[in-house]
Amino acid sequence: MALVVICGQPCSGKSTAAACLADAIQSADDPKPSVRIIDESSLHLGRNQSYADMPMEKNLRGVLRSEVDRSLSKNSIIIVDSLNNIKGYRYELWCLARAAGIRYCVVFCDTADATCRQWNRMREEMGESSYETKIFEDLVRRFEKPERRNRWDSPLFEVFPAKDGISQSSSVIADAVSYLTKKIDSKTRDVKVLQPTIATQTARATDANSLYEMDKATQAVINIIVEAQSQGLAGSSNRISMGPNLPAISFYVHRPIGLPELRSLRRTFIKLTGQYSLSGPPPPSDAESAKRMFIDYLNREIGAA
């Protein structure tokens, strides 16, 4: 249904914003969507350990991204409560939302660096989870502020925790809830649902048996063609029978079709079938249908040669 990216400096009020947003969504009119917050603690990852160095930070982003990818659906709202401080990483999350064909937005906690430092020290003094000074300063220095003109930062909802506070009744939180839960019809213009493309869409989860049958069936067709040509069974008509209930293959070229060319045609056919399955029906799961599709493809390609 939607992906919400919470963005801000360390200790800027992001977790409070995420919790308020989740509660506000749950308080909205029925039907109530499922809401899940994904953050470091939900994955049992410590802040200082996760940001200790660049390899650890890269691993953290990969773990968060994978969990988001697994969790996205048409019936739930996923809130990513993390720094999300790198614009390239926000773009990757935007691509996941586009591949899933859902809504997307960024909630930016705009808090001054000095206030974030103060809140971090207060957490440390109270024995709560906080950042080590060196890690905190490094994260502040590398933060890349979201810009609403970037498609991966839009729509952008800005909250000011230090100045206005954050609550379910905050106007920005209310605007975000409206955007995320508003029903869409032909007259809706202010809500954008991202549309998947072949470039960004995760390939449809295809049954393993379909892939196996496709691979086996196309190879069986090639074996029959090679065997028939080696024994001269095609004759002067260049026509090879593929068995009962299947069309014959007719070569409209007066030369043998070599194994390298057949393998190339097979690879192209499997690739095209996978691409078409993104927006159309999945590949056939039975051998006969897969053979028929491949034979039809070969007849078109060889006939056009």
Side-chain angles (χ1 to χ4, degrees):
M1 183 173 181
L3 173 62
V4 182
V5 175
I6 307 291
C7 177
Q9 295 280 22
C11 298
S12 59
K14 298 184 301 301
S15 294
T16 301
C20 287
L21 180 60
D23 291 341
I25 293 171
Q26 290 296 309
S27 300
D29 295 336
D30 291 333
K32 300 182 186 301
S34 170
V35 182
R36 181 189 175 192
I37 297 177
I38 297 178
D39 58 7
E40 291 89 347
S41 60
S42 68
L43 302 176
H44 308 289
L45 298 171
R47 290 177 174 176
N48 288 310
Q49 179 185 5
S50 299
Y51 294 101
D53 51 40
M54 294 307 296
M56 292 295 294
E57 184 176 337
K58 183 178 180 180
N59 178 71
L60 168 66
R61 288 197 293 267
V63 171
L64 287 170
R65 182 176 56 246
S66 297
E67 188 63 24
V68 170
D69 192 19
R70 286 192 293 268
S71 303
L72 293 179
S73 74
K74 300 286 188 179
N75 303 312
S76 63
I77 296 177
I78 303 300
I79 301 175
V80 189
D81 175 20
S82 187
L83 293 177
N84 300 314
N85 55 338
I86 307 299
K87 63 182 179 180
Y89 181 61
R90 295 196 295 271
Y91 172 75
E92 292 178 14
L93 295 176
W94 177 82
C95 286
L96 294 181
R98 185 167 71 166
I102 59 177
R103 305 179 205 191
Y104 172 92
C105 71
V106 173
V107 175
F108 174 40
C109 293
D110 193 350
T111 307
D113 298 352
T115 303
C116 293
R117 290 189 185 90
Q118 180 183 354
W119 287 353
N120 188 54
R121 286 195 299 269
M122 291 174 59
R123 290 183 182 182
E124 184 179 5
E125 293 169 357
M126 297 175 63
E128 298 178 356
S129 178
S130 61
Y131 293 90
E132 296 176 2
T133 302
K134 181 180 179 181
I135 294 176
F136 178 90
E137 294 299 334
D138 178 61
L139 293 173
V140 168
R141 177 180 57 82
R142 294 190 290 109
F143 181 76
E144 297 177 347
K145 185 177 179 179
E147 297 286 346
R148 63 178 72 253
R149 67 173 178 268
N150 297 329
R151 52 185 174 172
W152 56 86
D153 290 333
S154 178
L156 180 63
F157 298 94
E158 296 183 80
V159 296
F160 301 89
K163 183 175 66 174
D164 303 329
I166 308 176
S167 67
Q168 291 187 43
S169 59
S170 299
S171 60
V172 177
I173 296 296
D175 290 343
V177 171
S178 175
Y179 182 83
L180 295 168
T181 60
K182 185 175 183 179
K183 293 182 179 180
I184 299 178
D185 55 32
S186 59
K187 298 181 180 179
T188 304
R189 295 291 182 269
D190 57 341
V191 176
K192 181 179 181 181
V193 177
L194 301 179
Q195 298 300 318
T197 66
I198 289 180
T200 60
Q201 185 179 28
T202 302
R204 176 182 297 176
T206 304
D207 188 89
N209 186 59
S210 297
L211 298 175
Y212 173 75
E213 291 295 342
M214 178 69 70
D215 185 77
K216 186 173 67 172
T218 53
Q219 187 58 56
V221 170
I222 286 180
N223 290 341
I224 293 174
I225 295 173
V226 171
E227 180 68 17
Q229 290 186 137
S230 66
Q231 297 184 14
L233 299 180
S236 58
S237 64
N238 287 333
R239 183 180 178 86
I240 298 176
S241 173
M242 303 304 297
N245 303 320
L246 290 172
I249 288 185
S250 299
F251 294 166
Y252 297 109
V253 290
H254 299 289
R255 60 175 175 81
I257 306 299
L259 183 57
E261 184 177 354
L262 289 171
R263 286 175 173 170
S264 177
L265 290 166
R266 175 175 177 262
R267 287 193 300 269
T268 302
F269 169 76
I270 292 176
K271 181 179 179 180
L272 291 173
T273 302
Q275 290 179 347
Y276 292 150
S277 70
L278 292 175
S279 57
S285 58
D286 63 284
E288 183 169 326
S289 296
K291 287 180 179 179
R292 184 179 298 276
M293 285 180 62
F294 187 43
I295 292 169
D296 290 342
Y297 172 77
L298 288 176
N299 278 328
R300 291 196 304 271
E301 292 300 308
I302 295 173

